Amino acid sequence: MNHFICRTCGIQYEQSILPPDSCLICNDERQYVHPKGQSWTTLERLIQDNIYKNDIIQDEENLYSIHTKPNFGIGQTAYLVQQNEFNVLWDCITYLDDFTVQEISNLGGIDAIALSHPHYYATQVEWAETFDALIYIHEDDKEWVTRPSERIVFWSGEKHELKSGLILHRLGGHFQGRSVLEWQHGNQGLGILLSGDIIQVVQDQDWVSFMYSYPNLIPLPASKVAEMVEKIRLMKFDRIYNAFHRIVKRDGIAAVERSANRYIKALKGKLFET
Ligand SMILES: [Zn+2]
Ligand SMILES: [Zn+2]
């Protein structure tokens, strides 16, 4: 029996003898099946291959990013937030080896794993079992869990406080239960928003964008973007980290507001003449 992993999205499935027929995540229009076809691996195989290594970098006080090199799957970055001996892993990556376990243990381990949306579920259950942590997922995304576990806590409603000043907010958009993590004490008390890819920091890192599907470039409706901005205005943060280690360093709320205005203008045909 194996826990198979889709090579394109990096998501692990519940135990089976043969690989699944297809990948639930990749067959959705927010992802894609690789042009060369569906392929599978396992975590044991990835470790044996000895190609990958996780880079663990301190970005600032009490915040570390974890990224696999070379890229595997979608290639996202996970973050470890430390707050008063309560460590949260924000989003997850597939690769987990002894080196990573040792390094993360040296940083105090993981108490909770919180997920922005299904694209980053990765091997979340392996991480939760290794570090004896609970996994927090919005109940609206329950159907996308490919490896069920008693460690998964499905939260509901519009927000969920993991610990004082560490708050999950459902924003929807890219996925129904799509969430962000507001970390009020980060950035020396100015606050940090860990946005996954719901608020996507773009190449020009003073700006963000919003999409229903990134690989297939399907935009979100203007009304949904406006609604997300209304919720974000009420949060406390100055800096934004996205899932690809791009950072809006300061005035994060203003960056979201002006980016949303530009996006809505573009959708309405008012941004430029063609
Ligand atoms: Zn997949
Ligand atoms: Zn995504």
Side-chain angles (χ1 to χ4, degrees):
M1 298 282 264
N2 286 296
H3 287 288
F4 284 100
I5 293 171
C6 168
R7 277 190 165 274
T8 308
C9 68
I11 284 155
Q12 190 183 45
Y13 281 71
E14 61 186 322
Q15 238 181 15
S16 59
I17 297 170
L18 295 173
D21 292 336
S22 62
C23 176
L24 177 73
I25 301 290
C26 287
N27 276 278
D28 176 74
E29 65 191 0
R30 286 161 285 194
Q31 246 292 108
Y32 61 96
V33 177
H34 196 279
K36 289 184 180 159
Q38 177 68 47
S39 64
W40 300 96
T41 186
T42 62
L43 186 54
E44 294 74 21
R45 172 77 67 85
L46 291 176
I47 292 168
Q48 267 170 22
D49 287 350
N50 205 20
I51 308 171
Y52 298 102
K53 185 168 184 283
N54 285 338
D55 253 4
I56 302 171
I57 297 166
Q58 182 166 23
D59 288 306
E60 55 186 275
E61 196 181 7
N62 297 326
L63 182 70
Y64 293 80
S65 57
I66 311 158
H67 178 248
T68 306
K69 282 189 175 167
N71 266 352
F72 180 78
I74 294 174
Q76 73 270 21
T77 297
Y79 295 92
L80 185 76
V81 176
Q82 299 170 317
Q83 181 178 292
N84 299 333
E85 304 193 357
F86 181 80
N87 286 5
V88 181
L89 184 73
W90 170 247
D91 279 329
C92 197
I93 56 173
T94 306
Y95 194 63
L96 177 63
D97 61 0
D98 289 343
F99 164 79
T100 309
V101 173
Q102 193 53 53
E103 291 288 303
I104 302 276
S105 299
N106 292 344
L107 295 171
I110 297 168
D111 300 288
I113 303 174
L115 282 307
S116 64
H117 72 303
H119 288 155
Y120 306 144
Y121 288 176
T123 51
Q124 56 184 6
V125 177
E126 301 277 350
W127 287 71
E129 287 178 353
T130 302
F131 293 101
D132 192 20
L134 292 176
I135 299 170
Y136 292 84
I137 288 175
H138 195 279
E139 66 172 2
D140 286 354
D141 288 343
K142 204 173 193 169
E143 65 190 285
W144 298 99
V145 172
T146 54
R147 181 175 171 187
S149 164
E150 286 176 355
R151 291 179 179 273
I152 301 177
V153 177
F154 291 105
W155 62 279
S156 53
E158 294 306 294
K159 62 179 180 176
H160 180 83
E161 191 155 20
L162 290 170
K163 272 277 168 195
S164 140
L166 267 170
I167 308 159
L168 292 166
H169 296 266
R170 189 193 79 87
L171 290 189
H174 180 46
F175 271 86
Q176 194 69 22
R178 187 68 181 76
S179 308
V180 293
L181 178 62
E182 175 192 10
W183 178 27
Q184 296 179 339
H185 305 308
N187 183 17
Q188 295 177 333
L190 293 174
I192 285 177
L193 186 75
L194 293 157
S195 69
D197 63 13
I198 190 167
I199 308 290
Q200 184 71 284
V201 182
V202 291
Q203 300 289 349
D204 178 344
Q205 297 187 23
D206 286 330
W207 295 81
V208 301
S209 194
F210 320 84
M211 282 278 177
Y212 176 70
S213 172
Y214 290 98
N216 303 318
L217 301 176
I218 308 170
L220 279 176
S223 58
K224 183 70 215 178
V225 172
E227 184 192 311
M228 279 161 46
V229 174
E230 285 310 308
K231 289 183 179 174
I232 281 166
R233 271 198 194 111
L234 303 176
M235 297 179 199
K236 183 185 173 231
F237 68 89
D238 194 50
R239 189 168 290 160
I240 307 172
Y241 282 83
N242 83 344
F244 298 93
H245 207 241
R246 285 203 290 263
I247 305 159
V248 176
K249 290 210 172 90
R250 60 190 70 82
D251 295 328
I253 293 180
V256 172
E257 285 174 338
R258 70 171 167 269
S259 303
N261 287 339
R262 180 173 76 171
Y263 188 88
I264 291 167
K265 265 190 181 170
L267 286 181
K268 291 184 171 167
K270 292 180 182 164
L271 185 67
F272 47 84
E273 304 259 335
T274 58

